């Protein structure tokens, strides 16, 4: 009787019929950021000052207030914009922006009816009230982009204020965040 060369029920790596499991994943791989997932869920928002003229000795101010009891926490994704002259970008916890306008945050899942929980304020002037500086960044004329990747968190009852200035220039602030 002839000997069977592959007599094991389970073939082994040194056997002639050895096979490996095949990974069905195909390239290229697709990775998504938390921003992308939040946008797909209708929970990613954008707020802009548009291009705004800043009078002499004043700052462009943008503020978001997450009210007590809102039920959501903001995670700041990024801050972008530009200036036509040398300026300073400052991010604050707290503060008061008086008067001005109340720009409406836009859901980045276009057509989605989810709205942000924040109240907003935009104006030129000087930040009032009680505040703490989180970051101060000198800017040259041109565009700026600050990727925060959710590292600034605004829970209910907290305020985030942003300032660009000082004066005699045109500037813009674009704030992006997700809410859960």
């Amino acid at each position: 009787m002839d000997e069977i060369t592959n007599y094991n029920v389970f073939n082994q790596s040194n056997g002639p019929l050895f096979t490996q499991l095949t990974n069905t994943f195909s390239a290229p791989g697709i990775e998504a950021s938390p921003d992308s997932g939040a946008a797909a869920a209708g929970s990613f928002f954008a707020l802009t000052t548009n291009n705004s003229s800043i009078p002499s000795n004043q700052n462009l101010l943008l503020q978001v207030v997450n009210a007590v009891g809102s039920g959501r926490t903001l995670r700041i994704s990024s801050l972008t914009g530009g200036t036509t002259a040398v300026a300073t970008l400052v991010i604050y916890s707290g503060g008061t922006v008086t008067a001005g306008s109340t720009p409406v945050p836009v859901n980045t899942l276009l057509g989605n009816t989810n709205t942000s929980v924040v109240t907003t304020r935009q104006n030129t002037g000087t930040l009032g009230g009680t505040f703490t500086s989180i970051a101060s960044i000198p800017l040259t004329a041109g565009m700026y982009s600050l990727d925060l990747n959710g590292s600034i968190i605004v829970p209910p009852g907290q305020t985030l204020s942003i300032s660009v200035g000082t004066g005699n220039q045109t500037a813009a602030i674009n704030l992006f965040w997700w809410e859960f």
Side-chain angles (χ1 to χ4, degrees):
M1 190 176 222
D2 292 339
E3 187 175 323
I4 300 174
T5 57
N6 187 9
Y7 54 88
N8 292 322
V9 174
F10 300 103
N11 62 349
Q12 298 174 349
S13 62
N14 62 353
L17 296 176
F18 176 73
T19 60
Q20 294 181 342
L21 292 176
T22 302
N23 184 346
T24 59
F25 176 79
S26 62
I30 298 172
E31 293 183 19
S33 67
D35 297 353
S36 177
S43 298
F44 195 75
F45 298 92
L47 182 65
T48 184
T49 61
N50 294 308
N51 292 332
S52 301
S53 179
I54 306 172
S56 180
N57 298 318
Q58 294 188 19
N59 298 294
L60 176 59
L61 303 170
L62 183 64
Q63 184 175 71
V64 292
V65 178
N66 188 0
V68 173
S70 72
R72 292 191 204 161
T73 297
L74 284 62
R75 288 167 176 83
I76 307 302
S77 171
S78 63
L79 191 58
T80 66
T83 66
T84 57
V86 172
T88 301
L89 168 70
V90 185
I91 303 170
Y92 300 97
S93 171
T96 303
V97 176
T98 56
S101 64
T102 55
V104 177
V106 175
N107 189 315
T108 63
L109 178 55
L110 304 182
N112 189 288
T113 58
N114 292 348
T115 58
S116 175
V117 296
V118 302
T119 56
T120 67
R121 179 78 64 198
Q122 174 186 336
N123 205 352
T124 56
T126 304
L127 188 65
T130 303
F131 52 85
T132 302
S133 178
I134 297 173
S136 180
I137 302 164
L139 303 173
T140 58
M143 295 174 37
Y144 64 87
S145 179
L146 186 61
D147 291 324
L148 297 166
N149 301 314
S151 63
I152 296 178
I153 299 172
V154 185
Q158 296 298 310
T159 298
L160 180 75
S161 302
I162 300 140
S163 169
V164 173
T166 301
N168 281 342
Q169 62 181 296
T170 298
I173 301 170
N174 304 298
L175 179 64
F176 299 90
W177 72 92
W178 67 92
E179 298 178 5
F180 288 103

